[in-house]
């Protein structure tokens, strides 16, 4: 099943299994390894299940905005998917114009990012150096934007996002009268193989000791699947990648075992190592 990536543990005495319920990252080479699997595989048995599926739209309109960097003070990118939407729009409608004319202008703008993966993808796929990647969630990024946005800047920030985005960041910006221009460019749905992939992990010889959730969307789609497959979820320790996902798990009636201090592979490894 292509939706599950499994790595066996090399350590005989440390064999707890970790179910990573996250969306796949930016397109990688076939041999590229997920950063969380790479970080955990020497101490644990990690299973990576692609939880979400995405559909992009309104990319012609997005390209129209990208063509006019003079109209914006910068861009807000709250997920790798927002970066992907920009990349698809550029590739489809004007890669040559972007690389020869527009990129140099956008490089002078503020590129605000949530999470290290988003900031890393913005640089590798768009050529844009982002800031704020260590904020970890949209609400914290909002505070960072308020501290760093130039007081004399009147042009809006371009804000491409998905239809399931949370409203903390727009509220923070609106309450501060900080201008931004929103455009919805992708839908989020459950991976078509989610139930099959989770069942594969649960039925493995190791079972599942920990389930790590990376987004409220992942909670929305994966928790009902787990509830349908298991009569008792207390056999699994649930970990949230950050406070927003923690709230989503709690709202779903799930007891959260731990929350990562930072949304990074090393932070997850550190809290898992506490149980060894």
């Amino acid at each position: 099943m292509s939706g599950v990536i499994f790595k066996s543990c090399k350590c005989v005495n440390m064999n707890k299994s970790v179910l990573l319920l996250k969306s796949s990252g930016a397109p990688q080479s076939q041999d590229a390894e997920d950063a969380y699997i790479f970080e955990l595989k020497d101490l644990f048995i990690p299973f990576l299940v692609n939880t979400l599926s995405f559909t992009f739209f309104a990319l012609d309109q997005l390209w129209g905005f990208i063509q006019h960097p003079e109209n914006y003070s910068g861009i807000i990118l709250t997920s790798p998917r927002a970066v992907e939407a920009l990349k698809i729009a550029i590739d489809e409608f004007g890669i040559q114009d972007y690389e020869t004319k527009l990129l140099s202008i956008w490089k002078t703008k503020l590129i605000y990012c949530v999470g290290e993966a988003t900031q890393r993808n913005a640089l590798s796929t768009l050529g844009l150096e982002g800031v704020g990647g260590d904020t970890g969630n949209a609400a914290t990024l909002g505070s960072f934007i308020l501290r760093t946005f130039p007081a004399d800047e009147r042009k809006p920030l371009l804000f491409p996002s998905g239809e399931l985005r949370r409203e903390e960041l727009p509220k923070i910006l609106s309450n501060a009268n900080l201008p931004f221009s929103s455009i919805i460019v992708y839908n989020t749905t459950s991976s078509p193989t989610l139930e099959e992939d989770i069942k594969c992990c649960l039925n493995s010889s190791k079972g599942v000791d920990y389930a790590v959730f990376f987004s409220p969307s992942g909670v929305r789609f994966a928790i009902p699947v787990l509830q349908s497959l298991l009569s008792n979820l207390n056999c699994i320790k649930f970990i949230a990648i950050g406070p927003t996902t923690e709230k989503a798990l709690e709202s779903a009636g799930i007891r959260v075992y731990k929350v990562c201090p930072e949304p990074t592979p090393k932070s997850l490894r550190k809290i898992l190592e506490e149980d060894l």
Side-chain angles (χ1 to χ4, degrees), residues 126-145:
L126 302 175
L128 298 175
E129 187 74 48
V131 295
D134 58 349
T135 54
N137 60 72
T140 307
L141 179 68
S143 299
F144 179 78
I145 292 175

PDB file of all heavy atoms in Angstrom, residues 126-145:
ATOM      1  N   LEU A 126      10.142  27.952  -4.344  1.00  0.00           N
ATOM      2  CA  LEU A 126       9.800  29.283  -4.845  1.00  0.00           C
ATOM      3  C   LEU A 126      10.998  30.225  -4.889  1.00  0.00           C
ATOM      4  O   LEU A 126      10.920  31.294  -5.501  1.00  0.00           O
ATOM      5  CB  LEU A 126       8.704  29.924  -3.973  1.00  0.00           C
ATOM      6  CG  LEU A 126       7.395  29.147  -3.841  1.00  0.00           C
ATOM      7  CD1 LEU A 126       6.472  29.861  -2.844  1.00  0.00           C
ATOM      8  CD2 LEU A 126       6.709  29.003  -5.190  1.00  0.00           C
ATOM      9  N   GLY A 127      12.077  29.849  -4.225  1.00  0.00           N
ATOM     10  CA  GLY A 127      13.239  30.724  -4.169  1.00  0.00           C
ATOM     11  C   GLY A 127      13.065  31.890  -3.224  1.00  0.00           C
ATOM     12  O   GLY A 127      13.788  32.887  -3.323  1.00  0.00           O
ATOM     13  N   LEU A 128      12.139  31.776  -2.277  1.00  0.00           N
ATOM     14  CA  LEU A 128      11.825  32.878  -1.372  1.00  0.00           C
ATOM     15  C   LEU A 128      12.281  32.561   0.047  1.00  0.00           C
ATOM     16  O   LEU A 128      11.944  31.508   0.593  1.00  0.00           O
ATOM     17  CB  LEU A 128      10.319  33.161  -1.381  1.00  0.00           C
ATOM     18  CG  LEU A 128       9.731  33.590  -2.723  1.00  0.00           C
ATOM     19  CD1 LEU A 128       8.218  33.718  -2.626  1.00  0.00           C
ATOM     20  CD2 LEU A 128      10.351  34.904  -3.194  1.00  0.00           C
ATOM     21  N   GLU A 129      13.023  33.462   0.631  1.00  0.00           N
ATOM     22  CA  GLU A 129      13.533  33.300   1.994  1.00  0.00           C
ATOM     23  C   GLU A 129      12.460  33.756   2.973  1.00  0.00           C
ATOM     24  O   GLU A 129      12.111  34.933   3.028  1.00  0.00           O
ATOM     25  CB  GLU A 129      14.796  34.134   2.180  1.00  0.00           C
ATOM     26  CG  GLU A 129      15.502  33.917   3.501  1.00  0.00           C
ATOM     27  CD  GLU A 129      16.242  32.590   3.553  1.00  0.00           C
ATOM     28  OE1 GLU A 129      16.969  32.275   2.598  1.00  0.00           O
ATOM     29  OE2 GLU A 129      16.082  31.878   4.568  1.00  0.00           O
ATOM     30  N   GLY A 130      11.932  32.813   3.745  1.00  0.00           N
ATOM     31  CA  GLY A 130      10.858  33.138   4.673  1.00  0.00           C
ATOM     32  C   GLY A 130      11.352  33.462   6.058  1.00  0.00           C
ATOM     33  O   GLY A 130      12.513  33.229   6.412  1.00  0.00           O
ATOM     34  N   VAL A 131      10.445  33.992   6.871  1.00  0.00           N
ATOM     35  CA  VAL A 131      10.710  34.265   8.285  1.00  0.00           C
ATOM     36  C   VAL A 131       9.534  33.734   9.089  1.00  0.00           C
ATOM     37  O   VAL A 131       8.431  33.564   8.565  1.00  0.00           O
ATOM     38  CB  VAL A 131      10.898  35.765   8.568  1.00  0.00           C
ATOM     39  CG1 VAL A 131      12.138  36.311   7.863  1.00  0.00           C
ATOM     40  CG2 VAL A 131       9.664  36.565   8.135  1.00  0.00           C
ATOM     41  N   GLY A 132       9.770  33.465  10.366  1.00  0.00           N
ATOM     42  CA  GLY A 132       8.699  33.023  11.246  1.00  0.00           C
ATOM     43  C   GLY A 132       8.486  31.535  11.289  1.00  0.00           C
ATOM     44  O   GLY A 132       7.539  31.060  11.919  1.00  0.00           O
ATOM     45  N   GLY A 133       9.342  30.757  10.631  1.00  0.00           N
ATOM     46  CA  GLY A 133       9.142  29.316  10.575  1.00  0.00           C
ATOM     47  C   GLY A 133       9.137  28.652  11.931  1.00  0.00           C
ATOM     48  O   GLY A 133       8.536  27.593  12.103  1.00  0.00           O
ATOM     49  N   ASP A 134       9.777  29.263  12.917  1.00  0.00           N
ATOM     50  CA  ASP A 134       9.832  28.662  14.246  1.00  0.00           C
ATOM     51  C   ASP A 134       8.607  28.987  15.096  1.00  0.00           C
ATOM     52  O   ASP A 134       8.522  28.573  16.252  1.00  0.00           O
ATOM     53  CB  ASP A 134      11.096  29.104  14.978  1.00  0.00           C
ATOM     54  CG  ASP A 134      11.210  30.622  15.122  1.00  0.00           C
ATOM     55  OD1 ASP A 134      10.422  31.347  14.469  1.00  0.00           O
ATOM     56  OD2 ASP A 134      12.082  31.093  15.875  1.00  0.00           O
ATOM     57  N   THR A 135       7.641  29.733  14.528  1.00  0.00           N
ATOM     58  CA  THR A 135       6.457  30.087  15.312  1.00  0.00           C
ATOM     59  C   THR A 135       5.563  28.879  15.561  1.00  0.00           C
ATOM     60  O   THR A 135       4.912  28.790  16.581  1.00  0.00           O
ATOM     61  CB  THR A 135       5.638  31.180  14.605  1.00  0.00           C
ATOM     62  OG1 THR A 135       5.333  30.772  13.268  1.00  0.00           O
ATOM     63  CG2 THR A 135       6.427  32.481  14.562  1.00  0.00           C
ATOM     64  N   GLY A 136       5.462  27.955  14.585  1.00  0.00           N
ATOM     65  CA  GLY A 136       4.784  26.692  14.838  1.00  0.00           C
ATOM     66  C   GLY A 136       3.293  26.654  14.597  1.00  0.00           C
ATOM     67  O   GLY A 136       2.747  25.611  14.283  1.00  0.00           O
ATOM     68  N   ASN A 137       2.596  27.764  14.755  1.00  0.00           N
ATOM     69  CA  ASN A 137       1.160  27.789  14.475  1.00  0.00           C
ATOM     70  C   ASN A 137       0.742  29.186  14.052  1.00  0.00           C
ATOM     71  O   ASN A 137       1.477  30.171  14.247  1.00  0.00           O
ATOM     72  CB  ASN A 137       0.344  27.313  15.682  1.00  0.00           C
ATOM     73  CG  ASN A 137       0.555  28.178  16.912  1.00  0.00           C
ATOM     74  OD1 ASN A 137       0.096  29.308  16.983  1.00  0.00           O
ATOM     75  ND2 ASN A 137       1.269  27.634  17.894  1.00  0.00           N
ATOM     76  N   ALA A 138      -0.451  29.277  13.465  1.00  0.00           N
ATOM     77  CA  ALA A 138      -0.896  30.531  12.856  1.00  0.00           C
ATOM     78  C   ALA A 138      -1.069  31.645  13.880  1.00  0.00           C
ATOM     79  O   ALA A 138      -0.756  32.806  13.607  1.00  0.00           O
ATOM     80  CB  ALA A 138      -2.203  30.296  12.100  1.00  0.00           C
ATOM     81  N   ALA A 139      -1.582  31.302  15.070  1.00  0.00           N
ATOM     82  CA  ALA A 139      -1.798  32.332  16.086  1.00  0.00           C
ATOM     83  C   ALA A 139      -0.474  32.950  16.529  1.00  0.00           C
ATOM     84  O   ALA A 139      -0.358  34.172  16.685  1.00  0.00           O
ATOM     85  CB  ALA A 139      -2.538  31.736  17.278  1.00  0.00           C
ATOM     86  N   THR A 140       0.542  32.110  16.732  1.00  0.00           N
ATOM     87  CA  THR A 140       1.854  32.615  17.124  1.00  0.00           C
ATOM     88  C   THR A 140       2.480  33.422  15.994  1.00  0.00           C
ATOM     89  O   THR A 140       3.139  34.438  16.237  1.00  0.00           O
ATOM     90  CB  THR A 140       2.778  31.449  17.513  1.00  0.00           C
ATOM     91  OG1 THR A 140       2.134  30.643  18.488  1.00  0.00           O
ATOM     92  CG2 THR A 140       4.085  31.965  18.095  1.00  0.00           C
ATOM     93  N   LEU A 141       2.266  32.976  14.749  1.00  0.00           N
ATOM     94  CA  LEU A 141       2.759  33.758  13.613  1.00  0.00           C
ATOM     95  C   LEU A 141       2.105  35.129  13.589  1.00  0.00           C
ATOM     96  O   LEU A 141       2.761  36.130  13.273  1.00  0.00           O
ATOM     97  CB  LEU A 141       2.495  33.036  12.293  1.00  0.00           C
ATOM     98  CG  LEU A 141       2.961  33.798  11.050  1.00  0.00           C
ATOM     99  CD1 LEU A 141       4.486  33.885  11.009  1.00  0.00           C
ATOM    100  CD2 LEU A 141       2.435  33.150   9.773  1.00  0.00           C
ATOM    101  N   GLY A 142       0.817  35.190  13.931  1.00  0.00           N
ATOM    102  CA  GLY A 142       0.132  36.476  13.957  1.00  0.00           C
ATOM    103  C   GLY A 142       0.819  37.467  14.873  1.00  0.00           C
ATOM    104  O   GLY A 142       1.017  38.636  14.516  1.00  0.00           O
ATOM    105  N   SER A 143       1.204  37.004  16.056  1.00  0.00           N
ATOM    106  CA  SER A 143       1.923  37.879  16.991  1.00  0.00           C
ATOM    107  C   SER A 143       3.267  38.299  16.419  1.00  0.00           C
ATOM    108  O   SER A 143       3.692  39.459  16.580  1.00  0.00           O
ATOM    109  CB  SER A 143       2.121  37.155  18.333  1.00  0.00           C
ATOM    110  OG  SER A 143       0.884  36.824  18.909  1.00  0.00           O
ATOM    111  N   PHE A 144       3.933  37.369  15.749  1.00  0.00           N
ATOM    112  CA  PHE A 144       5.217  37.677  15.123  1.00  0.00           C
ATOM    113  C   PHE A 144       5.047  38.731  14.024  1.00  0.00           C
ATOM    114  O   PHE A 144       5.869  39.663  13.907  1.00  0.00           O
ATOM    115  CB  PHE A 144       5.820  36.401  14.545  1.00  0.00           C
ATOM    116  CG  PHE A 144       7.141  36.593  13.842  1.00  0.00           C
ATOM    117  CD1 PHE A 144       8.307  36.744  14.563  1.00  0.00           C
ATOM    118  CD2 PHE A 144       7.205  36.637  12.453  1.00  0.00           C
ATOM    119  CE1 PHE A 144       9.530  36.921  13.922  1.00  0.00           C
ATOM    120  CE2 PHE A 144       8.410  36.816  11.800  1.00  0.00           C
ATOM    121  CZ  PHE A 144       9.578  36.962  12.533  1.00  0.00           C
ATOM    122  N   ILE A 145       3.995  38.603  13.226  1.00  0.00           N
ATOM    123  CA  ILE A 145       3.743  39.585  12.162  1.00  0.00           C
ATOM    124  C   ILE A 145       3.505  40.968  12.765  1.00  0.00           C
ATOM    125  O   ILE A 145       4.047  41.973  12.275  1.00  0.00           O
ATOM    126  CB  ILE A 145       2.534  39.160  11.310  1.00  0.00           C
ATOM    127  CG1 ILE A 145       2.870  37.901  10.502  1.00  0.00           C
ATOM    128  CG2 ILE A 145       2.117  40.287  10.357  1.00  0.00           C
ATOM    129  CD1 ILE A 145       1.690  37.334   9.727  1.00  0.00           C
TER     130      ILE A 145
END
